[in-house]
Structure formats: C-alpha cells, structure tokens
Amino acid sequence: MDTTEDVVRFIKREALLDGDCFTWADSEQPTRPEIDKFVVLQEGKKVTPVSQVSVDFLRKLRGKHVNVYVYSYGKKICNKAAHTKFSAQLLIPEKRDRANADSTVSLMEIVSKLKEIHGTHYSSNHSSWVMWANYIQCAPANESRERMMNECPPAHLILLFRSVAFSDNERMQSARNGLKITDNMTDSFKGQVKLFREDFETMRQSTMRVMELMEWRLKSLEEIIESNQRLVAAMTDTLRPEENEVSRGQDILIMDCEDTDHMDN
C-alpha cells in the first residue's frame, strides 16, 4: 500500500505552531519521510501513522473500513479554530484595499519586478504582465513568490508572451516564422473559401434544376387549361338549339298584329 502517491497532491507546505503564532517550515515541499506529519489512518478509534503500516497490519484491516486523514498544512491545523487562526496569520495577504482585495499597489510592484527579471527574454502587452503578476499574487502564501517570479510564465499564460530576439539573424528568422504562419493562415482561409464556392455552385445548380422543374410543371398546367378550354368550346358548339315540329308549328301560329294601343290619336 503506497498512500503517498494518492495524497501527495493534497499536501502543501507544513505550518508550525510557535506559541500562539504560526510559521512556515523551512522546506517548501514536504519530503516522503515527512508523510507522518500530514497523513494518518483511522480504523474505529485506533489511529495509525503511515510509517507503521505493514503487511501484517493490512491483513488485519482486510474487510474493514479505514479512513485516511490528510492534513494539507500538517497536523497542527486539525480543527476549524486552528485553521481560522492559521489562515489569518499566513494565508490572507497582508496588503488589502478597501474592498478587501489584494492591493493594486502590490500587484504593480510584482509587475515591475517581473519586467525587470524577464523583460530581456519576454515581450508582451501590459495586461499580460498584469495577469502573470495576479497569478503569482493569488498563489497560496505557502508558495514562494520569489521563486515563482524567477520562473517562466505559467502554462496558461505562456502563449501571451513571445521571446525577444537578440541578434539580426534571430529577428530575421522570427520575421520569417511570422510570415510563414501568416501564409499558413491564409492557405487555411483560402481552403475554406474554396469549400464555400463549391457549396455555392452546388446550391446554384440545384436551384436551377428546381426552377426548370417548376417551369415545366407550370407550362404543363397551362397546356392542360388550354386543352380543356378548347374541349368546352367544342361541346358548346354541339349543344346549340335546333328547330323541331313543335317549334315550327308555333312559328306558323304567330302573326304580325297592328299595334293599336300605341297609335297616335
């Protein structure tokens, strides 16, 4: 059983209690032999340090429930009261503004130090330097800010900085690399435009086929309408009234009479 590998990510710099004051241990990163200062095992009411864990001990624990307690800052910080006092003394930044935030003055001091240390190697805009300084200022107090300021920018900010060229050849190579990157970006955009053109041509051809189909159907409907009109006209001609025996007999009985009712007196 190797507890170290599982709990090491939870362990931070050890806090020591000197009277009523908490202080940091000399070592920023606890070593493997110091594991007992941070981790204990509890089975029932029995507490066992990690260093006393053996094969026989594990056999006795078979089938039992064991709690593993990890004290991030050491066993001295074992309850809420101790953590509150420890946090007030070591974790909370001393320089605060009226909003209880890290002082802007101290942030700008870190920015100045970063530019002084790394200005000859890295170049970026002011906001990137401020982000780097804020990353350092927001780090836990158990982390050494001096060490962090002498290290390279963190992984999530390194892309915001570029290396400063020291010679004409380096500057020329940097310019070539920049032009090559620009050319690659243009090629990528050119490929996207080509795909867009192909899609447009496909859509235009499809639209033309749809328009041709609609025109053909419209023309077919017009021809059907004209054919029906001719058929109705032909049927109208075949159904004209014709004289028969009755109509001819009635025609004989009709005589022209003199209009005496409307004659002038």
PDB file of all heavy atoms in Angstrom, residues 160-180:
ATOM      1  N   LEU A 160       0.745  34.142 -24.339  1.00  0.00           N
ATOM      2  CA  LEU A 160       0.578  35.593 -24.440  1.00  0.00           C
ATOM      3  C   LEU A 160       1.917  36.317 -24.539  1.00  0.00           C
ATOM      4  O   LEU A 160       1.943  37.526 -24.785  1.00  0.00           O
ATOM      5  CB  LEU A 160      -0.185  36.118 -23.216  1.00  0.00           C
ATOM      6  CG  LEU A 160      -1.592  35.535 -23.001  1.00  0.00           C
ATOM      7  CD1 LEU A 160      -2.191  36.110 -21.716  1.00  0.00           C
ATOM      8  CD2 LEU A 160      -2.494  35.834 -24.191  1.00  0.00           C
ATOM      9  N   PHE A 161       3.007  35.576 -24.351  1.00  0.00           N
ATOM     10  CA  PHE A 161       4.340  36.182 -24.395  1.00  0.00           C
ATOM     11  C   PHE A 161       5.121  35.632 -25.582  1.00  0.00           C
ATOM     12  O   PHE A 161       4.888  34.502 -26.016  1.00  0.00           O
ATOM     13  CB  PHE A 161       5.104  35.884 -23.094  1.00  0.00           C
ATOM     14  CG  PHE A 161       4.515  36.552 -21.882  1.00  0.00           C
ATOM     15  CD1 PHE A 161       3.461  35.962 -21.197  1.00  0.00           C
ATOM     16  CD2 PHE A 161       5.009  37.768 -21.438  1.00  0.00           C
ATOM     17  CE1 PHE A 161       2.915  36.564 -20.079  1.00  0.00           C
ATOM     18  CE2 PHE A 161       4.462  38.383 -20.314  1.00  0.00           C
ATOM     19  CZ  PHE A 161       3.413  37.778 -19.639  1.00  0.00           C
ATOM     20  N   ARG A 162       6.012  36.435 -26.091  1.00  0.00           N
ATOM     21  CA  ARG A 162       6.888  35.992 -27.171  1.00  0.00           C
ATOM     22  C   ARG A 162       8.335  36.278 -26.790  1.00  0.00           C
ATOM     23  O   ARG A 162       8.628  37.251 -26.081  1.00  0.00           O
ATOM     24  CB  ARG A 162       6.541  36.689 -28.493  1.00  0.00           C
ATOM     25  CG  ARG A 162       6.663  38.200 -28.462  1.00  0.00           C
ATOM     26  CD  ARG A 162       6.302  38.794 -29.822  1.00  0.00           C
ATOM     27  NE  ARG A 162       6.437  40.242 -29.834  1.00  0.00           N
ATOM     28  CZ  ARG A 162       5.480  41.086 -29.460  1.00  0.00           C
ATOM     29  NH1 ARG A 162       4.329  40.612 -29.044  1.00  0.00           N
ATOM     30  NH2 ARG A 162       5.682  42.389 -29.503  1.00  0.00           N
ATOM     31  N   SER A 163       9.202  35.435 -27.268  1.00  0.00           N
ATOM     32  CA  SER A 163      10.629  35.593 -26.946  1.00  0.00           C
ATOM     33  C   SER A 163      11.206  36.789 -27.682  1.00  0.00           C
ATOM     34  O   SER A 163      10.859  37.062 -28.837  1.00  0.00           O
ATOM     35  CB  SER A 163      11.402  34.323 -27.332  1.00  0.00           C
ATOM     36  OG  SER A 163      10.933  33.213 -26.599  1.00  0.00           O
ATOM     37  N   VAL A 164      12.073  37.519 -27.010  1.00  0.00           N
ATOM     38  CA  VAL A 164      12.710  38.694 -27.601  1.00  0.00           C
ATOM     39  C   VAL A 164      13.942  38.253 -28.379  1.00  0.00           C
ATOM     40  O   VAL A 164      14.779  37.503 -27.867  1.00  0.00           O
ATOM     41  CB  VAL A 164      13.104  39.706 -26.507  1.00  0.00           C
ATOM     42  CG1 VAL A 164      13.826  40.899 -27.125  1.00  0.00           C
ATOM     43  CG2 VAL A 164      11.874  40.154 -25.739  1.00  0.00           C
ATOM     44  N   ALA A 165      14.050  38.694 -29.618  1.00  0.00           N
ATOM     45  CA  ALA A 165      15.212  38.343 -30.454  1.00  0.00           C
ATOM     46  C   ALA A 165      16.431  39.142 -29.999  1.00  0.00           C
ATOM     47  O   ALA A 165      16.342  40.326 -29.677  1.00  0.00           O
ATOM     48  CB  ALA A 165      14.906  38.636 -31.912  1.00  0.00           C
ATOM     49  N   PHE A 166      17.587  38.487 -30.006  1.00  0.00           N
ATOM     50  CA  PHE A 166      18.811  39.119 -29.521  1.00  0.00           C
ATOM     51  C   PHE A 166      19.730  39.555 -30.660  1.00  0.00           C
ATOM     52  O   PHE A 166      20.572  40.412 -30.491  1.00  0.00           O
ATOM     53  CB  PHE A 166      19.573  38.165 -28.595  1.00  0.00           C
ATOM     54  CG  PHE A 166      18.829  37.853 -27.340  1.00  0.00           C
ATOM     55  CD1 PHE A 166      18.106  36.677 -27.216  1.00  0.00           C
ATOM     56  CD2 PHE A 166      18.836  38.737 -26.278  1.00  0.00           C
ATOM     57  CE1 PHE A 166      17.427  36.389 -26.049  1.00  0.00           C
ATOM     58  CE2 PHE A 166      18.156  38.461 -25.108  1.00  0.00           C
ATOM     59  CZ  PHE A 166      17.450  37.280 -24.990  1.00  0.00           C
ATOM     60  N   SER A 167      19.614  38.969 -31.828  1.00  0.00           N
ATOM     61  CA  SER A 167      20.513  39.306 -32.932  1.00  0.00           C
ATOM     62  C   SER A 167      19.696  39.537 -34.198  1.00  0.00           C
ATOM     63  O   SER A 167      18.506  39.247 -34.268  1.00  0.00           O
ATOM     64  CB  SER A 167      21.512  38.165 -33.160  1.00  0.00           C
ATOM     65  OG  SER A 167      20.834  36.979 -33.561  1.00  0.00           O
ATOM     66  N   ASP A 168      20.401  40.078 -35.249  1.00  0.00           N
ATOM     67  CA  ASP A 168      19.724  40.328 -36.521  1.00  0.00           C
ATOM     68  C   ASP A 168      19.236  39.023 -37.131  1.00  0.00           C
ATOM     69  O   ASP A 168      18.147  38.974 -37.723  1.00  0.00           O
ATOM     70  CB  ASP A 168      20.680  41.037 -37.485  1.00  0.00           C
ATOM     71  CG  ASP A 168      21.009  42.452 -37.018  1.00  0.00           C
ATOM     72  OD1 ASP A 168      20.217  42.993 -36.219  1.00  0.00           O
ATOM     73  OD2 ASP A 168      22.041  43.000 -37.452  1.00  0.00           O
ATOM     74  N   ASN A 169      20.023  37.960 -37.025  1.00  0.00           N
ATOM     75  CA  ASN A 169      19.602  36.673 -37.579  1.00  0.00           C
ATOM     76  C   ASN A 169      18.348  36.148 -36.882  1.00  0.00           C
ATOM     77  O   ASN A 169      17.424  35.626 -37.528  1.00  0.00           O
ATOM     78  CB  ASN A 169      20.729  35.643 -37.446  1.00  0.00           C
ATOM     79  CG  ASN A 169      21.899  35.947 -38.357  1.00  0.00           C
ATOM     80  OD1 ASN A 169      21.732  36.602 -39.392  1.00  0.00           O
ATOM     81  ND2 ASN A 169      23.086  35.500 -37.987  1.00  0.00           N
ATOM     82  N   GLU A 170      18.307  36.320 -35.562  1.00  0.00           N
ATOM     83  CA  GLU A 170      17.135  35.870 -34.821  1.00  0.00           C
ATOM     84  C   GLU A 170      15.907  36.687 -35.187  1.00  0.00           C
ATOM     85  O   GLU A 170      14.801  36.159 -35.323  1.00  0.00           O
ATOM     86  CB  GLU A 170      17.405  35.945 -33.319  1.00  0.00           C
ATOM     87  CG  GLU A 170      18.414  34.910 -32.825  1.00  0.00           C
ATOM     88  CD  GLU A 170      18.645  35.043 -31.339  1.00  0.00           C
ATOM     89  OE1 GLU A 170      18.248  36.082 -30.770  1.00  0.00           O
ATOM     90  OE2 GLU A 170      19.226  34.124 -30.739  1.00  0.00           O
ATOM     91  N   ARG A 171      16.114  38.010 -35.352  1.00  0.00           N
ATOM     92  CA  ARG A 171      14.995  38.857 -35.749  1.00  0.00           C
ATOM     93  C   ARG A 171      14.501  38.477 -37.139  1.00  0.00           C
ATOM     94  O   ARG A 171      13.296  38.426 -37.402  1.00  0.00           O
ATOM     95  CB  ARG A 171      15.413  40.332 -35.732  1.00  0.00           C
ATOM     96  CG  ARG A 171      15.698  40.882 -34.337  1.00  0.00           C
ATOM     97  CD  ARG A 171      15.848  42.387 -34.384  1.00  0.00           C
ATOM     98  NE  ARG A 171      16.145  42.940 -33.063  1.00  0.00           N
ATOM     99  CZ  ARG A 171      17.351  43.184 -32.607  1.00  0.00           C
ATOM    100  NH1 ARG A 171      18.415  42.921 -33.395  1.00  0.00           N
ATOM    101  NH2 ARG A 171      17.546  43.674 -31.408  1.00  0.00           N
ATOM    102  N   MET A 172      15.456  38.208 -38.060  1.00  0.00           N
ATOM    103  CA  MET A 172      15.073  37.796 -39.413  1.00  0.00           C
ATOM    104  C   MET A 172      14.318  36.467 -39.389  1.00  0.00           C
ATOM    105  O   MET A 172      13.291  36.308 -40.062  1.00  0.00           O
ATOM    106  CB  MET A 172      16.318  37.675 -40.286  1.00  0.00           C
ATOM    107  CG  MET A 172      16.022  37.289 -41.743  1.00  0.00           C
ATOM    108  SD  MET A 172      15.067  38.550 -42.606  1.00  0.00           S
ATOM    109  CE  MET A 172      16.319  39.830 -42.733  1.00  0.00           C
ATOM    110  N   GLN A 173      14.826  35.527 -38.599  1.00  0.00           N
ATOM    111  CA  GLN A 173      14.165  34.235 -38.501  1.00  0.00           C
ATOM    112  C   GLN A 173      12.780  34.375 -37.881  1.00  0.00           C
ATOM    113  O   GLN A 173      11.825  33.710 -38.311  1.00  0.00           O
ATOM    114  CB  GLN A 173      15.020  33.274 -37.660  1.00  0.00           C
ATOM    115  CG  GLN A 173      14.488  31.846 -37.608  1.00  0.00           C
ATOM    116  CD  GLN A 173      14.430  31.206 -38.990  1.00  0.00           C
ATOM    117  OE1 GLN A 173      15.336  31.390 -39.803  1.00  0.00           O
ATOM    118  NE2 GLN A 173      13.360  30.468 -39.251  1.00  0.00           N
ATOM    119  N   SER A 174      12.668  35.260 -36.887  1.00  0.00           N
ATOM    120  CA  SER A 174      11.364  35.494 -36.264  1.00  0.00           C
ATOM    121  C   SER A 174      10.386  36.078 -37.277  1.00  0.00           C
ATOM    122  O   SER A 174       9.214  35.691 -37.322  1.00  0.00           O
ATOM    123  CB  SER A 174      11.525  36.441 -35.076  1.00  0.00           C
ATOM    124  OG  SER A 174      10.276  36.731 -34.496  1.00  0.00           O
ATOM    125  N   ALA A 175      10.895  37.028 -38.107  1.00  0.00           N
ATOM    126  CA  ALA A 175      10.021  37.617 -39.130  1.00  0.00           C
ATOM    127  C   ALA A 175       9.586  36.560 -40.145  1.00  0.00           C
ATOM    128  O   ALA A 175       8.432  36.517 -40.571  1.00  0.00           O
ATOM    129  CB  ALA A 175      10.746  38.769 -39.828  1.00  0.00           C
ATOM    130  N   ARG A 176      10.531  35.684 -40.542  1.00  0.00           N
ATOM    131  CA  ARG A 176      10.191  34.613 -41.485  1.00  0.00           C
ATOM    132  C   ARG A 176       9.153  33.673 -40.891  1.00  0.00           C
ATOM    133  O   ARG A 176       8.217  33.252 -41.581  1.00  0.00           O
ATOM    134  CB  ARG A 176      11.450  33.844 -41.856  1.00  0.00           C
ATOM    135  CG  ARG A 176      12.418  34.627 -42.751  1.00  0.00           C
ATOM    136  CD  ARG A 176      13.681  33.838 -43.003  1.00  0.00           C
ATOM    137  NE  ARG A 176      14.591  34.556 -43.879  1.00  0.00           N
ATOM    138  CZ  ARG A 176      15.823  34.151 -44.168  1.00  0.00           C
ATOM    139  NH1 ARG A 176      16.298  33.029 -43.617  1.00  0.00           N
ATOM    140  NH2 ARG A 176      16.592  34.864 -44.978  1.00  0.00           N
ATOM    141  N   ASN A 177       9.354  33.336 -39.621  1.00  0.00           N
ATOM    142  CA  ASN A 177       8.373  32.459 -38.970  1.00  0.00           C
ATOM    143  C   ASN A 177       7.000  33.111 -38.927  1.00  0.00           C
ATOM    144  O   ASN A 177       5.976  32.453 -39.149  1.00  0.00           O
ATOM    145  CB  ASN A 177       8.831  32.122 -37.548  1.00  0.00           C
ATOM    146  CG  ASN A 177      10.069  31.237 -37.525  1.00  0.00           C
ATOM    147  OD1 ASN A 177      10.351  30.529 -38.490  1.00  0.00           O
ATOM    148  ND2 ASN A 177      10.801  31.283 -36.426  1.00  0.00           N
ATOM    149  N   GLY A 178       6.998  34.431 -38.663  1.00  0.00           N
ATOM    150  CA  GLY A 178       5.722  35.138 -38.635  1.00  0.00           C
ATOM    151  C   GLY A 178       5.050  35.141 -40.000  1.00  0.00           C
ATOM    152  O   GLY A 178       3.839  34.934 -40.114  1.00  0.00           O
ATOM    153  N   LEU A 179       5.866  35.378 -41.060  1.00  0.00           N
ATOM    154  CA  LEU A 179       5.305  35.360 -42.415  1.00  0.00           C
ATOM    155  C   LEU A 179       4.810  33.973 -42.798  1.00  0.00           C
ATOM    156  O   LEU A 179       3.790  33.824 -43.478  1.00  0.00           O
ATOM    157  CB  LEU A 179       6.368  35.835 -43.412  1.00  0.00           C
ATOM    158  CG  LEU A 179       6.755  37.320 -43.327  1.00  0.00           C
ATOM    159  CD1 LEU A 179       7.913  37.610 -44.272  1.00  0.00           C
ATOM    160  CD2 LEU A 179       5.551  38.197 -43.673  1.00  0.00           C
ATOM    161  N   LYS A 180       5.546  32.951 -42.375  1.00  0.00           N
ATOM    162  CA  LYS A 180       5.128  31.586 -42.671  1.00  0.00           C
ATOM    163  C   LYS A 180       3.808  31.260 -41.986  1.00  0.00           C
ATOM    164  O   LYS A 180       2.914  30.640 -42.578  1.00  0.00           O
ATOM    165  CB  LYS A 180       6.211  30.606 -42.218  1.00  0.00           C
ATOM    166  CG  LYS A 180       5.926  29.161 -42.630  1.00  0.00           C
ATOM    167  CD  LYS A 180       7.090  28.255 -42.266  1.00  0.00           C
ATOM    168  CE  LYS A 180       6.805  26.808 -42.719  1.00  0.00           C
ATOM    169  NZ  LYS A 180       7.940  25.914 -42.379  1.00  0.00           N
TER     170      LYS A 180
END
